[in-house]
Amino acid sequence: MIFTWVWFVYFFTFNYCCLFLGSCLNNQGFALLSFKQSISSDPEWSLSNWNSSDENPCSWNGITCKDQNVVSITIPKKKIAGFLHSSLGSITSLRHINLRNNKLHGDLPLELFNLQGLQSLVLYGNFFTGSIPIQIGNLKYLQSLDLSQNFMNGSLPKSLYQCRRLRTLDLSQNNFTGSLDFGFGSGLIALEKLDLSLNQFSGSIPSDIGNLSSLQGTVDLSHNHFSGLIPASLGNLPEKVYIDLTFNDLSGPIPQNGALENRGPTAFIGNPRLCGPPLKNPCPSGGNARNGSSSFPYLPGDSPPLADDVGGGKSGKSKGLSKNAVIAIVACDIVGICLIGLLFSYCYWRFCSCKKGKDGSGKESRGKKECLCFRKDGSETLSENVEQCDLVALDLQIGFDLDELLKASAFVLGKSGIGIVYKVVLEDGLTLAVRRLGEGGSQRFKEFQNEVEAIGKIRHPNIVTLKAYYWSIDEKLLIYEYIPNGNLSAAIHGKAGMISFTPLTWCVRMQIIKGTAKGLAYLHEFSPKKYVHGDLKPSNILLGENVEPHISGFGLGRLANIAGGSPTLQSDRMASEKQQQLQQSAPSEVPTINSALSLGSCYQAPEALKNVKPSQKWDVYSFGVILLEMISGRSPMVQVGTTEMDLVRWIQLCIEEKKPLGDVLDPFLAREPEREEEIIAVLKVALACVQTSPERRPSMRHVSDTMERLIIATG
């Protein structure tokens, strides 16, 4: 209703100018002013000289005319917000529309597709929604369609295949669904660029896609749900074309012909059911990857046909087990179960019966248990009486008591909003890391005990092990295994004051990436409570003797809150006190603390700012930022001229500006050119992890599987 009224006002003004002033803006200018009226924000005043006092709009910003007719609207990267007005469809001479990287939203107006002479429609990097109308088939002269980086959905209309002059089709980073129908390759025969990545496309890849003989660069079908076999016709594409099929649901042998022959494994990662070269995952017998056969490999549990059954065997009977064989198998199972039961009973008696003291009284030594009994999950706790057993062991191998711990040598490792961490060396040489959680009341002991015991059950080679804890009214301690080689942040960037620093090789970085992904996937999917870390960053990834990663710090926020202090409040208080000190001493140093405070937030997912409940996709985003940091060697805040931007935005900017890979890579990695394909593959995983929308990020289990296959594939 509002826009109908606006249209009427412009129409009245238009006629008033014509009748009483003798000069007026032509119909094309009138249509453009209607578009200007639909713009709600124009912070850079890009449309400031669009006004009705001109006879035609040919001198307006972003407008190009030919023979006094508007042929082009080009207003990129001006931050204009609003929607596309249907009036643009009345500018019949319009050939080019370029409104990329703005803040436009809403559906594409149907009237836009009445412009039969339109040659390019470039709208990427906006907030458009809705689907592509079937009327797109009217654009017979369309050569470039770029709708990437929007929020569009729906399936591709078959009428798109009528745009036979289309050279560029980029629909990446949207929410398009459905399948690509047969006719895609036969209709769009002029395509030179094809990018459908990071959508929700499904179904099989059309078999006629090999007809796209004009394609150049990369054909990107990655990060979708394409399934079934890779069509052998895909190999008919020009041999210089790079085909990216990563992160789909494809299966079966990889055809080895034409453009698919001698391809590296990085083009196929993220498809666990693919087999054959170049992957180190051999196809089951009968699968023929060399000729692109369409035969399906049988999976475990599916019996291949027996020779006697093909074409009618001699007996015609199935080869099932006999009755006596079934009885024998059942009997063996029963005997096996009995043996396991006896073994378990022996272990329970041997290891779980608490030993009596030497005096035979049954009393335990002060502050120390001789053993730990099996216990039930849930409300039953490891120690019902904390006063008699101050140091509670969570590890059967614990052989020290509280007195030994308190007498040991201790060195401060670090301080944070969640207490102080000490390196503690016992008399027998055992080294531990002890975190003091601070002082708090004892009213929430049971809650603390349940939480800490759940964390203590987690055992994984890439997660720091919590070995014991201590609780009293005045002191709360968490005792961890000690990890000797510092943290990942220091390994990437070096320590302050370090004289010499040797950057990590790509092989070592991949080892750390793989281990961290495994540890996170375990926390998310297999730990007792399916934990969310919530504060993953390089300083929380510790490195062991062989530079293997150990994730630390998960669950600390909740434990600190239960123990009597909010880690968030403590951090804020410490930062506030520090900032006051800096302001009193040297005002010029204040920005330093501000930068330090913003550093941690660089690893937080965008949705974390809304104070919603943490989700596993928060950790995926943080992991993606860490990957970018390891690939680029840069800090999470990047200095660009006189301004700072976060690492994710800087990487995206480099990609938008099509900068060479060398500008993004850590210079040290440039010495390993043979690893370039692998680095690019990891970069793509990182970009998938740092998607703004949580739903579009992969799970850590998926990421971990991908890293595992990537390492196997590249040897």
Side-chain angles (χ1 to χ4, degrees), residues 372-589:
L372 296 174
C373 298
F374 285 113
R375 60 191 186 278
K376 298 178 182 178
D377 292 330
S379 60
E380 289 191 28
T381 58
L382 195 147
S383 173
E384 290 296 332
N385 190 345
V386 74
E387 297 303 326
Q388 277 71 42
C389 189
D390 293 335
L391 184 68
V392 183
L394 301 172
D395 189 334
L396 290 171
Q397 304 301 319
I398 290 294
F400 58 88
D401 57 24
L402 183 61
D403 289 339
E404 292 177 75
L405 186 68
L406 296 179
K407 292 177 181 177
S409 303
F411 311 90
V412 176
L413 287 176
K415 300 179 182 180
S416 71
I418 313 181
I420 304 173
V421 181
Y422 298 89
K423 175 183 177 181
V424 174
V425 182
L426 302 180
E427 288 184 355
D428 61 0
L430 177 64
T431 305
L432 300 164
V434 179
R435 181 183 291 272
R436 295 181 63 187
L437 285 182
E439 302 174 2
S442 60
Q443 67 274 14
R444 300 177 69 183
F445 167 67
K446 292 297 182 184
E447 189 179 353
F448 180 90
Q449 190 174 35
N450 288 336
E451 190 73 22
V452 79
E453 288 182 8
I455 295 174
K457 291 178 183 177
I458 294 176
R459 293 290 185 272
H460 190 275
N462 298 116
I463 299 175
V464 175
T465 301
L466 179 61
K467 291 181 169 290
Y469 71 94
Y470 171 81
W471 171 288
S472 72
I473 296 176
D474 300 323
E475 191 74 79
K476 293 152 194 72
L477 305 176
L478 299 175
I479 297 95
Y480 294 93
E481 64 174 324
Y482 176 71
I483 310 298
N485 270 336
N487 60 51
L488 180 57
S489 180
I492 298 174
H493 307 294
K495 296 180 181 178
M498 183 182 290
I499 299 175
S500 61
F501 169 63
T502 303
L504 302 174
T505 65
W506 177 248
C507 184
V508 173
R509 296 186 205 206
M510 276 300 293
Q511 174 187 321
I512 295 170
I513 290 170
K514 174 187 170 185
T516 305
K518 276 188 172 182
L520 268 183
Y522 179 86
L523 280 179
H524 287 183
E525 309 241 0
F526 305 109
S527 62
K529 293 190 177 183
K530 294 191 175 182
Y531 281 96
V532 174
H533 191 293
D535 190 29
L536 187 70
K537 50 192 174 185
S539 59
N540 280 335
I541 299 174
L542 308 181
L543 303 179
E545 290 182 1
N546 298 314
V547 205
E548 73 280 4
H550 299 260
I551 298 172
S552 69
F554 69 94
L556 276 181
R558 177 160 172 73
L559 288 176
N561 284 332
I562 296 172
S566 167
T568 304
L569 293 176
Q570 290 178 24
S571 298
D572 291 346
R573 183 174 67 250
M574 290 172 64
S576 176
E577 292 173 354
K578 182 68 176 176
Q579 192 165 2
Q580 289 177 6
Q581 294 173 8
L582 289 172
Q583 288 172 340
Q584 292 171 1
S585 59
S588 61
E589 295 179 12

Side-chain angles (χ1 to χ4, degrees), residues 284-285 296-307 309-310:
S285 58
F296 288 90
Y298 64 88
L299 301 175
D302 297 333
S303 299
L306 296 173
D309 294 332
V310 179

Side-chain angles (χ1 to χ4, degrees), residues 345-363:
S345 299
Y346 171 77
C347 291
Y348 183 89
W349 173 82
R350 175 66 178 82
F351 294 107
C352 292
S353 299
C354 294
K355 298 178 182 178
K356 294 182 179 181
K358 291 181 180 180
D359 59 359
S361 64
K363 294 182 181 180

Side-chain angles (χ1 to χ4, degrees), residues 32 74 94 223 239 251 264 286 302 330-331 428 492 495 649-650:
L32 291 171
T74 305
L94 198 56
H223 294 277
E239 292 191 10
S251 58
D302 297 333
V330 171
D428 61 0
I492 298 174
K495 296 180 181 178
R649 179 63 192 132
W650 180 77

Side-chain angles (χ1 to χ4, degrees), residues 87-100:
S87 63
L88 294 180
S90 65
I91 308 176
T92 56
S93 58
L94 198 56
R95 298 291 180 267
H96 307 281
I97 299 176
N98 183 353
L99 300 172
R100 63 182 174 87

